[in-house]
């Protein structure tokens, strides 16, 4: 798996230069009307979120806000982001939220059934270390 | 379970069980509050008074994994001692305790939120009832409202009309008369 967030949503395009155009078409250099904003790479995105959850004195509101925002994005978070979030739960003494986060990313994967087992596999050391049971362990993945 | 339908018929804003994917409503579950004398220690969420919307609310939503408040924040002594234990290593918690901690904070699990409902039967049934009523109205209308059919619809008239059209050779190339075999006096 690459560094990029797994199954990321739409990617922004970058400006094209006229040098690459085929013969017969002349386009002035850099006259496209694309935004000049800097596009955040997947690594930067991941790092930003890992940092967010790694705040040592993170409070419950920030955890909630962070998780709800993250789940709102069109992507399944990388294991390293989830690891950081689970550790934040540990600092806040909140096991229930940790289990909830696992449920949420499983739901986020949608029809791609292979994402969640991959995430659990990557998070296994953290889950064992912190003593977080998965919803499957607790029988909460069934109705 | 049509509690949401009944609730909406009442004047005041009643908030009942929110069900993801419910066609009729998507409403917030009232979490237990410590206000007034309505302190109950189990997850019963029937509310007789209106809810204070200025307070953080609980809701089960797939896209909001961590709601603004926990499901149960009126904790009795067993809950409190469990919460104390949660501050220690989680490896020391049994499975039942972990489930209990989850249920303190959250009402439905994700599979419970996503459970299918029987609402489609109500919808399809309602549709057919409406079709049936419409059908009855149409029947009544046919009997009482429509005037008698014109005489040109009668069997004899229609037969004479067809013969006349053939005699005139209506659409003889690709249409009506083209289908009639003039030699053998029958349809092709």
């Amino acid at each position: 798996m690459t560094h990029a967030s797994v199954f990321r949503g739409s990617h922004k395009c970058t400006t094209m230069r006229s040098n690459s155009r085929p013969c017969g078409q002349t386009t002035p250099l850099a006259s496209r009307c694309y935004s000049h904003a800097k596009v955040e790479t997947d690594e930067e995105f991941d790092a930003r979120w890992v940092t967010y959850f790694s705040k040592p004195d993170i409070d419950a509101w920030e955890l909630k806000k962070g998780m709800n925002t993250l789940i709102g994005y069109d992507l399944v978070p990388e294991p390293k982001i989830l690891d950081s979030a689970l550790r934040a739960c540990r600092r806040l003494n909140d096991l229930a939220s940790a289990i909830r986060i696992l449920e949420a990313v499983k739901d986020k994967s949608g029809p791609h059934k292979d994402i969640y087992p991959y995430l659990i596999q990557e998070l296994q050391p953290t889950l064992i270390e912190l003593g977080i049971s998965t919803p499957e362990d607790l029988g909460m993945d069934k109705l | 379970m049509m509690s949401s339908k009944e609730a909406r018929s009442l004047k005041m804003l009643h908030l009942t069980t929110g069900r993801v994917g419910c066609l009729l409503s998507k409403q917030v579950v009232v979490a237990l509050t410590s206000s007034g004398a309505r302190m109950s220690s189990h997850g019963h969420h029937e509310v007789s008074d209106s809810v204070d919307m200025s307070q953080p609310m609980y809701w089960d939503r797939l896209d909001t994994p961590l709601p603004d408040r926990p499901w149960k924040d009126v904790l009795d002594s067993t809950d409190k001692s469990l919460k104390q234990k949660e501050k220690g290593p989680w490896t020391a918690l049994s499975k039942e305790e972990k489930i209990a901690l989850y249920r303190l904070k959250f009402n439905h699990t994700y599979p419970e939120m996503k459970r299918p409902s029987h609402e489609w039967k109500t919808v399809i049934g309602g549709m057919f009832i409406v079709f049936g009523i419409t059908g009855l109205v149409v029947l009544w209308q046919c009997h009482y409202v429509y005037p008698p059919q014109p005489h040109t619809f009668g069997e004899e008239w229609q037969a004479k009309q067809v013969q006349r059209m053939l005699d005139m050779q209506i659409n003889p190339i690709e249409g009506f008369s083209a289908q009639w075999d003039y030699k053998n006096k029958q349809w092709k």
Side-chain angles (χ1 to χ4, degrees):
Chain A
M1 287 280 174
T2 63
H3 293 295
S5 293
V6 180
F7 284 94
R8 189 83 186 274
S10 55
H11 293 269
K12 292 185 203 143
C13 301
T14 52
T15 317
M16 271 173 21
R17 293 281 163 190
S18 66
N19 298 334
S20 59
R21 300 204 65 78
C23 328
Q25 291 183 18
T26 49
T27 320
L29 279 168
S31 72
R32 296 301 178 92
C33 300
Y34 296 140
S35 155
H36 294 286
K38 191 164 155 303
V39 178
E40 186 181 53
T41 66
D42 287 346
E43 290 77 16
E44 287 168 348
F45 175 87
D46 294 344
R48 190 161 56 83
W49 276 102
V50 168
T51 314
Y52 178 90
F53 286 118
S54 305
K55 188 170 151 206
D57 54 346
I58 194 172
D59 65 26
W61 185 92
E62 285 173 345
L63 172 69
K64 269 187 278 175
K65 176 68 182 168
M67 270 324 298
N68 292 339
T69 309
L70 191 60
I71 293 295
Y73 293 147
D74 181 20
L75 52 85
V76 181
E78 278 281 312
K80 54 170 131 53
I81 303 177
L82 297 174
D83 174 82
S84 189
L86 293 174
R87 289 184 189 282
C89 289
R90 175 64 268 190
R91 290 198 292 285
L92 289 164
N93 299 320
D94 193 352
L95 174 64
S97 293
I99 301 172
R100 189 75 155 184
I101 289 171
L102 296 175
E103 283 189 308
V105 297
K106 183 179 183 180
D107 176 62
K108 226 24 218 175
S109 319
H112 304 279
K113 299 279 178 231
D114 50 346
I115 299 183
Y116 180 68
Y118 162 73
L119 291 172
I120 294 296
Q121 177 200 309
E122 293 291 311
L123 289 170
Q124 205 60 260
T126 308
L127 295 177
I128 293 171
E129 180 198 329
L130 299 178
I132 301 171
S133 304
T134 65
E136 290 70 34
D137 289 339
L138 301 173
M140 288 188 342
D141 58 327
K142 310 276 183 297
L143 277 170
Chain B
M1 273 211 294
M2 294 313 298
S3 57
S4 56
K5 245 195 190 156
E6 288 144 20
R8 265 217 258 109
S9 67
L10 298 170
K11 264 184 268 173
M12 294 172 66
L13 177 66
H14 280 231
L15 302 178
T16 60
T17 311
R19 260 190 262 156
V20 174
C22 178
L23 278 177
L24 302 175
S25 65
K26 195 174 204 164
Q27 291 165 327
V28 171
V29 182
V30 177
L32 295 167
T33 64
S34 54
S35 65
R38 277 187 295 109
M39 281 171 72
S40 50
S41 59
H42 59 286
H44 187 57
H45 52 264
E46 290 305 315
V47 181
S48 50
D49 299 321
S50 56
V51 159
D52 186 357
M53 301 283 255
S54 66
Q55 298 297 319
M57 309 199 78
Y58 177 89
W59 34 42
D60 279 316
R61 280 181 65 110
L62 295 178
D63 59 3
T64 312
L66 305 177
D68 293 344
R69 67 176 303 165
W71 171 237
K72 189 176 166 197
D73 56 354
V74 179
L75 301 175
D76 62 17
S77 53
T78 34
D79 299 330
K80 283 187 184 145
S81 58
L82 189 57
K83 280 291 199 187
Q84 269 305 111
K85 202 171 172 194
E86 197 183 12
K87 294 183 183 169
W90 291 339
T91 40
L93 294 166
S94 71
K95 277 194 185 168
E96 289 73 23
E97 287 175 326
K98 289 180 183 176
I99 295 174
L101 280 169
Y102 184 94
R103 292 293 181 184
L104 278 180
K105 200 141 209 257
F106 303 110
N107 181 17
H108 287 310
T109 64
Y110 267 65
E112 284 167 9
M113 273 192 248
K114 294 167 82 163
R115 73 190 180 281
S117 76
H118 297 282
E119 190 180 11
W120 69 272
K121 296 176 193 168
T122 311
V123 172
I124 301 289
M127 264 170 62
F128 287 141
I129 289 170
V130 169
F131 291 161
I133 294 170
T134 310
L136 289 173
V137 168
V138 167
L139 278 177
W140 175 87
Q141 174 186 256
C142 285
H143 193 272
Y144 286 104
V145 175
Y146 290 163
Q149 270 200 337
H151 61 100
T152 52
F153 278 72
E155 276 287 341
E156 215 190 294
W157 187 284
Q158 283 286 315
K160 286 183 191 166
Q161 186 174 298
V162 168
Q163 185 57 57
R164 184 158 181 266
M165 282 167 77
L166 290 171
D167 294 340
M168 285 197 286
Q169 295 187 23
I170 297 287
N171 294 338
I173 299 157
E174 295 214 4
F176 189 77
S177 303
Q179 308 298 324
W180 178 258
D181 184 351
Y182 281 94
K183 268 216 189 78
N184 301 324
K185 302 251 170 84
Q186 65 186 12
W187 291 108
K188 285 186 188 163

